[in-house]
Amino acid sequence: MGQGADAGASRAYASAAQDSPFRDERTARDEAPQFVLPEWAEAMRSWQDARIRKVVRRARGAEWRRAEALPGITVTGKSAEVRVFPPVPLDGWPKELARLQVSGTDLDDPEPPVDADPAAPVLWLNPEVAMSAGKAMAQAGHGAQLAWWDLSDEDRTAWRDAGFPLTVRTADPARWPGLTTSGLPLVRDAGFTEIAPGSCTVVADHPALRG
């Protein structure tokens, strides 16, 4: 039995050695585009294990280019770009972000939004709480994150494969109480900035989470 185990180990080692990224000879894998894994995992775990906070700032021109040079992910819309950065300590912002202004995130929308697609995820904003555009963006981010956490692996995959379709709308005042008691993910603000602690701000209405 000892000899058999040794032989099996040798075969396994030989196979692993042929596929090892530390071998000397070049293979087809060396010709493929190379990627690296950013060290975001620990920061994400620390962020999620504490009271989750999001901050929205606005940048243009040179400020945007400096911010864009930092590690992060950019999402491009029809007329604007949003860049998401990995979590940082509250008192340890990169200087390129710390100098950006909170004001100026209120935007004019020349046309009323179309009705939300009932077959797609919707983030319903509280119609009774006034929030700046930046605050609403942060709260919407909370709602999307809570929906993601509550989804099954299968539903997460389906949402991702569909390109993460999502709309954000202000709820009808008559419908809001029912949404908050529906069992759907509900965002309650901690009250650090604009609104009172415990205020319900967003209901994440994902079709897969509806009762």
Side-chain angles (χ1 to χ4, degrees), residues 126-144:
N126 187 337
E128 301 172 353
V129 173
M131 294 183 285
S132 66
K135 181 68 173 180
M137 290 172 65
Q139 298 301 295
H142 288 322

Side-chain angles (χ1 to χ4, degrees), residues 122-132 135-136 139-140 168-177 179-180 186-189 195-196 198-204:
V122 183
L123 300 179
W124 295 108
L125 301 180
N126 187 337
E128 301 172 353
V129 173
M131 294 183 285
S132 66
K135 181 68 173 180
Q139 298 301 295
V168 181
R169 297 290 184 269
T170 299
D172 184 283
R175 190 185 175 197
W176 179 249
L179 286 169
T180 61
L186 174 64
V187 179
R188 292 183 182 274
D189 192 68
I195 58 182
S199 298
C200 299
T201 56
V202 178
V203 172

Side-chain angles (χ1 to χ4, degrees), residues 137-199:
M137 290 172 65
Q139 298 301 295
H142 288 322
Q145 185 174 357
L146 292 181
W148 176 262
W149 282 347
D150 281 3
L151 290 173
S152 66
D153 289 341
E154 181 180 359
D155 290 328
R156 288 180 180 180
T157 299
W159 196 14
R160 182 192 301 115
D161 291 346
F164 293 109
L166 180 69
T167 55
V168 181
R169 297 290 184 269
T170 299
D172 184 283
R175 190 185 175 197
W176 179 249
L179 286 169
T180 61
T181 57
S182 63
L184 292 168
L186 174 64
V187 179
R188 292 183 182 274
D189 192 68
F192 290 119
T193 53
E194 298 179 13
I195 58 182
S199 298

Side-chain angles (χ1 to χ4, degrees), residues 65-125:
R65 290 190 291 273
R66 285 192 292 268
E68 195 175 27
L70 298 173
I73 298 172
T74 297
V75 179
T76 302
K78 292 182 179 180
S79 58
E81 292 181 300
V82 175
R83 187 163 181 80
V84 181
F85 302 94
V88 296
L90 191 61
D91 59 352
W93 282 54
K95 64 180 184 301
E96 293 86 353
L97 302 181
R99 63 172 58 135
L100 298 180
Q101 298 298 313
V102 178
S103 61
T105 56
D106 288 314
L107 307 173
D108 292 327
D109 194 342
E111 299 180 3
V114 299
D115 292 338
D117 181 359
V122 183
L123 300 179
W124 295 108
L125 301 180

